[in-house]
Amino acid sequence: MPESSPEQCVTPSFAVIPGAQVQGVLDRRYREVVELIEAAYRLHGEEQTVNPPSYFLRFPDRQSSRIIALPASVGGQIRTDGLKWISSFPENVGRGIPRASAVLILNDHDTGYPLACLESSIISAARTAASAALAADRIAAARGVRPVRVGFFGVGLIARYVHSYLAGSGWTFDEISVYDRVTEHVSGFEEYLHWSGERGQVTLHKDAEALIRSSDLVVFATVAGTPHVTDPTWFDHNPLVLHLSLRDLAPEVVLEATNVVDDVDHCLKAGTSLHLAEQQTGHRGFVAGTLYDVLMGTLRPGVERPVVFSPFGLGVLDLALGRHVYDEVVASGELRVVDGFFHDMRRYG
């Protein structure tokens, strides 16, 4: 008898989800997004993800710019593979367009076929901000002290998203300090705080030390490529630091802090502040643990030292949030399928 032919399957369709649809799904759903990011962190901590190293495309003629590929796979109920392809061109700001742009490719779990291409600068900013808000909430709870004075060091799009996610997930502040080396960025962020409804007193600082010393929660969101904050005594009041831009702090500052990361192997590479600290000391003992450890209660940072949260940014977070956006657009009946995207599907023509 002839062997039975393999079961036929329908080729998945391919769709494009533009930024307006992404924004429509995520806009003002701060708590929901934070919960999705927490669930992704838990899957990662339970080893139900695959998150290979990020790959950096750099340019000899544009040394401040880069494009990064973040491949990843998420298990659990999400069951999605994919890739984020995100560029960072700081000189774009002077051209009047955002520094970063990105797309996210989602792949079907069973066939590997691409399902969709999503505009992903919004997804990337949202997952970064949600990660920061989650870390701030859980680390502050572990320390038993909730900061009421926040300082934003670097006030571009990411800082705006972080403030929105902090405020949208229940944080209130008595004082908001702002510092950026570019004056117009400071005034722009001040204007954003005004129309966002922020009620805390806003102070614009002319130097970095004043901002750090006056803040219990410090948010670093710069484009710095090398450390520029070098004095550990600026942190003598033991604040909680969200070190989102990863390369602001000198090893001397890192070594005086309790360091929490999203993933140890990912964070200690590519010239991050923690990577430089490892190179200087020859070990990783200064890393206390991961955010997953904090979520599980096995790491409880105290108030006797500064606490620095340094998230390298895991592709699994983008995938989890991107899959949520995809499913919501499908459910709305507004998925924009590209007819005939896959072609020449017969093996022998």
Side-chain angles (χ1 to χ4, degrees), residues 296-309:
M296 296 301 293
T298 56
L299 173 61
R300 299 185 62 84
V303 295
E304 68 281 354
R305 306 179 79 190
V307 177
V308 176
F309 174 59

Side-chain angles (χ1 to χ4, degrees), residues 272-292:
T272 65
S273 295
L274 274 72
H275 186 203
L276 298 179
E278 180 189 26
Q279 292 175 330
Q280 180 173 304
T281 63
H283 64 79
R284 296 180 169 185
F286 54 86
V287 179
T290 66
L291 181 56
Y292 177 72

Side-chain angles (χ1 to χ4, degrees), residues 121-137:
S121 65
I122 296 170
I123 291 172
S124 185
R127 68 87 154 139
T128 300
S131 169
L134 174 66
D137 184 72

Side-chain angles (χ1 to χ4, degrees), residues 7-14 108 110-115 342 345:
E7 181 181 352
Q8 295 294 310
C9 67
V10 177
T11 304
S13 62
F14 183 77
D108 179 65
D110 295 320
T111 67
Y113 272 75
L115 288 175
F342 298 110
M345 300 298 294

Side-chain angles (χ1 to χ4, degrees), residues 148-153 155 163 172-180 183 185-206 210-211 214-215:
V148 294
R149 303 181 303 164
V150 63
F152 289 92
F153 193 133
V155 287
H163 175 268
T172 58
F173 299 103
D174 296 336
E175 299 176 22
I176 301 94
S177 295
V178 180
Y179 171 76
D180 195 293
T183 303
H185 296 176
V186 173
S187 58
F189 194 72
E190 182 185 23
E191 182 179 349
Y192 152 74
L193 291 172
H194 175 73
W195 65 252
S196 73
E198 177 59 61
R199 296 182 178 180
Q201 177 182 338
V202 178
T203 301
L204 310 182
H205 289 278
K206 294 184 178 181
L211 176 128
S214 63
S215 304

Side-chain angles (χ1 to χ4, degrees), residues 126-291:
R127 68 87 154 139
T128 300
S131 169
L134 174 66
D137 184 72
R138 297 309 179 86
I139 294 173
R143 302 179 92 197
V145 178
R146 194 169 177 87
V148 294
R149 303 181 303 164
V150 63
F152 289 92
F153 193 133
V155 287
L157 181 141
I158 294 299
R160 171 166 64 87
Y161 267 76
V162 171
H163 175 268
S164 295
Y165 270 82
L166 288 170
S169 56
W171 285 79
T172 58
F173 299 103
D174 296 336
E175 299 176 22
I176 301 94
S177 295
V178 180
Y179 171 76
D180 195 293
R181 294 177 177 178
V182 182
T183 303
E184 57 262 35
H185 296 176
V186 173
S187 58
F189 194 72
E190 182 185 23
E191 182 179 349
Y192 152 74
L193 291 172
H194 175 73
W195 65 252
S196 73
E198 177 59 61
R199 296 182 178 180
Q201 177 182 338
V202 178
T203 301
L204 310 182
H205 289 278
K206 294 184 178 181
D207 65 90
E209 180 180 0
L211 176 128
I212 293 171
R213 289 189 182 275
S214 63
S215 304
D216 305 315
L217 175 65
V218 183
V219 180
F220 281 97
T222 74
V223 294
T226 56
H228 54 98
V229 176
T230 61
D231 190 344
T233 66
W234 291 6
F235 302 85
D236 280 348
H237 57 302
N238 299 333
L240 170 55
V241 179
L242 303 177
H243 188 206
L244 306 182
S245 34
L246 293 173
R247 296 171 177 84
D248 301 279
L249 304 179
E252 292 75 15
V253 176
V254 169
L255 296 174
E256 291 295 322
T258 299
N259 292 284
V260 181
V261 299
D262 53 359
D263 182 285
V264 177
D265 289 334
H266 283 77
C267 195
L268 275 73
K269 64 171 52 176
T272 65
S273 295
L274 274 72
H275 186 203
L276 298 179
E278 180 189 26
Q279 292 175 330
Q280 180 173 304
T281 63
H283 64 79
R284 296 180 169 185
F286 54 86
V287 179
T290 66
L291 181 56

